[in-house]
Each structure stands twice: as structure tokens, then as C-alpha cells.
Amino acid sequence: MTIENYLPDFVLEKAYDVTVESLKQQQIKAVFVDLDNTLIAWNNPDGTPEMRQWLAELQDAGIRVVVVSNNSPKRVQRAVERFGIPFEAHALKPFTFGLKRAMKRFGIQPQEVVMIGDQLMTDIRAAKRAGIRSILVKPLVETDSVKTKFNRWRERRVMKRLAASYGPLKYKRKL
């Protein structure tokens, strides 16, 4: 395992810290965002006013937001339909299937998109494999679904290796 394959391009407190201005500076036209514990807390499907404001700002600026999730289409649709954003379910992250489907579907080139997620093992690894930039964020809540707990255990080991090579990841409030 090459540790660089898990190194995010940016590390932020939360997805909502990504601003329209910072995306435009990076020439980003689309944001792919993980669903659970990144866009919304896995146990709060309604999201927050801050999240809805963030989505509105990106959409108003013409920046496409697409949820890319490993969850089933039914689960993702139920979570995002009220927000009016498209999604790619069964993404199979850390593989690139879902990311590539989304790029093809919306005519987006790898250099025009960034993937935001809360997991090194799935979100960041998939972005690296797809050749797109990545932003690691802290999970919105400290608890995880049962399916995620194993990844978190592996992630702690990878974080230690990243810290040994690059220093500890420092979560910031802006790009």
C-alpha cells in the first residue's frame, strides 16, 4: 500500500467550509460529495440550515453538486430528493465506477471536479484513483453506521502512517 494514495489534497473541518470563491480559484466546476457524515449526518436525513445554504450558494454560482455514495439508490434518493441534487448511488468507492459515471453523465473532466468525503479509505482513495482532487472533512457526527466501523478502524492505521510521513493532518476552515 502506497500511503500517498490516501493523502487528500485538502483537509477541512466540514464540507460547508468549501466556498464558491475557493472553488472558482481552483477552477472547479463541480463538487462530488459523499452523503453520510459528509453532506448530512447518517442519522439525520433532513440536513441542517447551514447545509441547505451551502447547496444553494454553490448552485446559484453554477457549480454542480452531485452526491456520490456507496448506498443504494433508494437510500440516496430518499436523502437528497428534497434538496434537488443529482446523485450516483452504488458508487463502489474506493473504486472509480461512481465517480467516472458522474463525470461522464455531466460532461465533467477530472481537473474540473473535487471529491469531498469523510473517509480516507473510500472517498479519498476513489478520488486519487480517478485523478481528481480531494477534500477530507471530519465526520459530521462521531457515531457511524455499522458498515462504516470497519473502515474507521483501518483509517486510524492509515492516519498514523500519513502522520509519520507528512505530519498530522490539520483540519482547516478554508481551502
Side-chain angles (χ1 to χ4, degrees), residues 37-38 40-44 118 138-144 152:
N37 272 348
T38 301
I40 59 172
W42 72 273
N43 57 0
N44 176 14
D118 68 306
K138 288 182 180 178
L140 289 174
V141 293
E142 300 218 359
T143 60
D144 282 306
R152 294 286 184 209

Side-chain angles (χ1 to χ4, degrees), residues 25-62:
Q25 286 174 350
Q26 296 287 327
Q27 298 174 328
I28 298 292
K29 296 179 181 174
V31 172
F32 293 169
V33 62
D34 179 53
L35 181 63
D36 291 326
N37 272 348
T38 301
L39 184 63
I40 59 172
W42 72 273
N43 57 0
N44 176 14
D46 296 326
T48 63
E50 182 183 21
M51 183 267 309
R52 288 190 289 278
Q53 177 68 34
W54 180 72
L55 287 174
E57 288 172 5
L58 294 183
Q59 290 169 327
D60 289 349

